């Protein structure tokens, strides 16, 4: 799950004449498919879900996250790390071990990864370390990954033009106001002007953290700083005084290849697929066992249990990489679909964070008014599930924070559920679900403590049964589910907030 807005401040394609069996097999008299297995039912697939199996997989996933320790000093499954590569291998080998039930595809794509290991900014002769200083994401390190020294030099205007950088910027630490152009452009212009580092100070309230975006050889090590922390130095510089500064960033920026794994049943109508997805990666800060180990492992478990049955419609599982860098894997997957292939996906179900410790049963409020037709029928299937299990639920905004976004932007109905991320549980929600009001649904969201201990097993099991229910329902039949219609939607190609990494300007 991507951070919420608040925290981050930081041709008509018709599914070809759908062929439903004339007589749908019923649960009481299981029909036997050509491969000699009973047709899947919701009750049977739900009964196959056991928290013990899920927990075993979670323990294994944590061991895989630890493979990143030598490089990151802590467990993580961020893209490019050994922990993520091992996660991909684990998903692939688990599905491969199921024989010819599935066809597996690796979809490789390029991504940029960066990691800041350490940084320090000192301003003024006294070695003052401003509290709000942060290193920008995707910043290069300072020279030789060591400290650099220089006078702080105030850049003219917003530092978006090479002429804003006077000749005394050479060898200096460039001091640049936020605004007009991207952080990446400012950093590159400072680098071209000969600065040894750059500090971008906020033009509004609060601290400033963001990303330099697409790497450039001109970028220099770049910090963000609040306006409050900057003002005393701006005044000194305007008064003609010299401000000594010291900058240090140890970081890496790399171009890597990473992989989406897609597994599709060989059985079932390949023209009519139900698709579901979870993201295989975590943030760099921690092992991501809830976010989104929980969803990824539920998909693995459901895919494993499904092999006991036959299906009428194709079931396609996707494990996306690079979700935490800006929904990269799912964006790439959907962008690569031909119009014909797009039309075969009847709907997409997103399962990101299913076991939050202070959980709520959150259903994305995906309406047909605002989304491709069918999204609302899916939403209502989830609501029915919670209601028939005597569980409360809440509706939460379907606003593009996870991998469903590319699907709905390309005309594919979508939806999903989540157990909650960094939102604060209200008093009413504590009455509905238990847990603690005033605390995050997942107090370890995007942190080192997102370990096996961070999982609520009861919530995870219930939500995994919901996933089983959704898979079994559509694997049996799309009866009553809207046909696919147009592929291209108006918002096609329009980037939304959560695509791409972070604040860029
Ligand atoms: C796909 O990826 C898996 C997991 O990394 C790897 O074991 C397998 O060899 C790859 N297969 C192909 C055809 O590239
Ligand atoms: C559902 O919420 C109500 C309060 O709104 C609460 O009284 C009830 O116990 C909750 N049900 C469950 C199963 O937790
Ligand atoms: Zn996340």
């Amino acid at each position: 799950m991507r951070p919420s807005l608040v925290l981050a401040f930081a041709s008509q394609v018709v599914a070809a004449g759908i062929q439903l069996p004339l007589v749908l097999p019923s649960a009481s008299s299981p029909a036997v498919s050509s491969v000699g297995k009973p047709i899947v039912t919701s009750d049977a697939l739900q009964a196959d879900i056991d928290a013990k199996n899920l927990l075993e997989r979670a323990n294994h996933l944590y061991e895989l996250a630890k493979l990143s320790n030598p490089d990151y000093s802590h467990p993580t499954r961020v893209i490019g790390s050994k922990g993520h590569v091992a996660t991909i291998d684990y998903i692939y080998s688990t599905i491969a071990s199921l024989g010819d039930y599935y066809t597996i595809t690796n979809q490789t794509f390029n991504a940029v990864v960066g990691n800041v290991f350490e940084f320090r900014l000192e301003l003024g002769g006294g070695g003052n370390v401003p509290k709000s200083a942060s290193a920008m994401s995707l910043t290069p390190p300072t020279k030789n990954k060591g400290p650099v020294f220089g006078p702080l030099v105030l850049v003219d205007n917003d530092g978006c033009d090479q002429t804003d950088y006077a000749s005394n910027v050479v060898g200096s630490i460039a001091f640049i106001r936020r605004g007009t152009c991207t952080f990446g452009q400012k950093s590159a212009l400072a680098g071209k002007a000969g600065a040894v580092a750059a500090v971008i100070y906020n033009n509004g309230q609060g601290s400033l953290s963001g990303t330099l975006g697409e790497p450039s050889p001109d970028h220099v090590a770049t910090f963000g700083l609040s306006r409050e922390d900057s003002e005393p130095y701006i005044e000194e510089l305007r008064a003609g005084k010299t401000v000594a500064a010291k900058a240090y960033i140890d970081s890496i920026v790399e171009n890597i290849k990473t992989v989406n794994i897609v597994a599709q049943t060989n059985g079932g109508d390949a023209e009519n697929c139900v698709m579901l997805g979870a993201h295989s990666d975590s943030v760099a800060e921690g092992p991501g066992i809830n976010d989104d180990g929980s969803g990824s492992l539920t998909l693995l478990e459901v895919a494993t249990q499904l092999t006991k049955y036959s299906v009428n419609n194709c079931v396609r599982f996707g494990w996306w990489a690079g979700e935490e860098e800006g929904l990269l894997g799912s964006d790439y997957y959907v962008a690569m679909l031909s119009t014909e292939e797009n039309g075969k996906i009847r709907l997409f179900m997103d399962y990101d964070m299913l076991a939050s410790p202070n959980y709520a049963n959150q259903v994305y409020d995906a309406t047909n008014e605002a989304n491709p037709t069918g999204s609302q029928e899916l939403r209502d299937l989830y609501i029915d599930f919670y209601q028939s299990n005597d569980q409360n639920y809440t509706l939460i905004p379907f606003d593009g924070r996870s991998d469903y976004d590319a699907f709905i932007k390309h005309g594919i109905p979508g939806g999903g559920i989540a157990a909650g991320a960094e939102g604060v549980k209200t008093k009413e929600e504590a009455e509905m679900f238990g847990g603690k009001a005033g605390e995050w649904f997942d107090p370890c969201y995007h942190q080192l403590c997102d370990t096996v201990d961070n999982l609520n097993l009861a919530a995870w099991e219930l939500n995994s049964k919901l996933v089983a229910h959704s898979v079994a329902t559509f694997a049996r039949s799309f009866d009553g589910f809207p046909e696919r219609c147009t592929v291209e939607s108006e918002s096609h190609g329009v980037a939304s907030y959560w695509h791409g990494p972070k604040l860029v300007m």
Side-chain angles (χ1 to χ4, degrees), residues 390 392 431-432:
D390 295 318
N392 292 308
E431 280 160 15
M432 292 166 76

Side-chain angles (χ1 to χ4, degrees), residues 412-477:
I412 300 168
I417 58 133
E422 81 282 45
V424 174
K425 188 175 248 183
T426 64
K427 192 168 154 288
E428 291 71 31
E429 285 169 333
E431 280 160 15
M432 292 166 76
F433 305 106
K436 289 189 188 145
E439 287 193 7
W440 284 5
F441 299 109
D442 181 353
C444 287
Y445 172 72
H446 282 188
Q447 295 161 59
L448 190 54
C449 58
D450 187 5
T451 63
V452 175
D453 289 340
N454 191 41
L455 301 169
N456 183 316
L457 286 185
W460 194 11
E461 187 177 77
L462 180 73
N463 286 331
S464 297
K465 285 177 185 287
L466 173 148
V467 175
H469 173 64
S470 67
V471 167
T473 300
F474 296 115
R476 283 174 72 90
S477 169

Side-chain angles (χ1 to χ4, degrees), residues 88-89 92 106 261:
I88 297 289
D89 286 346
Y92 186 94
N106 294 356
I261 302 280

